[in-house]
Amino acid sequence: MKYGIVAFPSKQVQDFANSYRMRYDSHYAQLPPHITLRSEVETDEAGLKAVADQLLEITKNAQAFDISIPKVGTFKPINNVIYLKVDASEPLYDLNKSLHIDALGGAAEYQYVPHITLAQGITADELDDIYGQLQMTAIDFKETIDRIHLLYQLENGSWTVFETYRLQGTE
């Protein structure tokens, strides 16, 4: 089975993201809008329990973090992906770093770019059209994230929450 670690934004941000995702995101039905903190890792049930125990320890010291979402971005030309750009406070980057230890699957494959995917699995022409439209859209979300979620993937490809953790650290 695969697991991943995410933060879910507010309903307001999810509703905005879903207004695009339902049409342009090939993973729309599998997982709600989210900020990935730890990409998927293969494990078994015992491994998932060990990850859950490790997360309990990490979140005792991890701080809630503020985010702002001021605009859209794209991973073009590497991937045809459009996303909401997440500007975050230092605790998010600290948390991301703490989730990439050997006990949780090791180092990150890519440099961390916090984002919420709006479109993926689209053509280059679709990307240019949608991205152009979104650049003219006023986007300005601000919120505090105070919990994270350990997810696992079901046999049908969708993801479900295994456990939720409050970020308990103080400044």
Side-chain angles (χ1 to χ4, degrees), residues 28-85:
Y28 169 74
Q30 297 172 328
L31 181 63
H34 62 280
I35 301 166
T36 300
L37 300 169
R38 168 82 223 186
S39 296
E40 61 188 47
V41 175
E42 191 72 39
T43 193
D44 56 19
E45 284 192 42
L48 187 62
K49 177 67 174 117
V51 168
D53 293 343
Q54 185 76 39
L55 278 175
L56 190 59
E57 290 305 310
I58 290 171
T59 55
K60 285 180 183 176
N61 298 313
Q63 295 176 22
F65 52 90
D66 295 325
I67 63 169
S68 67
I69 302 170
K71 62 183 179 179
V72 292
T74 179
F75 290 129
K76 181 183 175 181
I78 313 257
N79 288 318
N80 286 348
V81 172
I82 300 170
Y83 59 84
L84 290 172
K85 183 177 183 336

Side-chain angles (χ1 to χ4, degrees), residues 2 27 29-31 152-160:
K2 293 180 182 174
H27 297 148
Q30 297 172 328
L31 181 63
Y152 66 96
Q153 192 172 34
L154 302 173
E155 287 183 21
N156 68 3
S158 65
W159 291 82
T160 192

Side-chain angles (χ1 to χ4, degrees), residues 87-126:
D87 291 336
S89 55
E90 199 60 35
L92 169 60
Y93 294 96
D94 293 343
L95 176 60
N96 174 262
K97 188 175 179 180
S98 72
L99 297 175
H100 286 87
I101 58 175
D102 288 341
L104 297 177
E109 189 175 347
Y110 302 104
Q111 180 178 345
Y112 186 54
V113 177
H115 66 280
I116 299 167
T117 301
L118 296 179
Q120 61 185 325
I122 57 176
T123 67
D125 287 342
E126 287 175 313

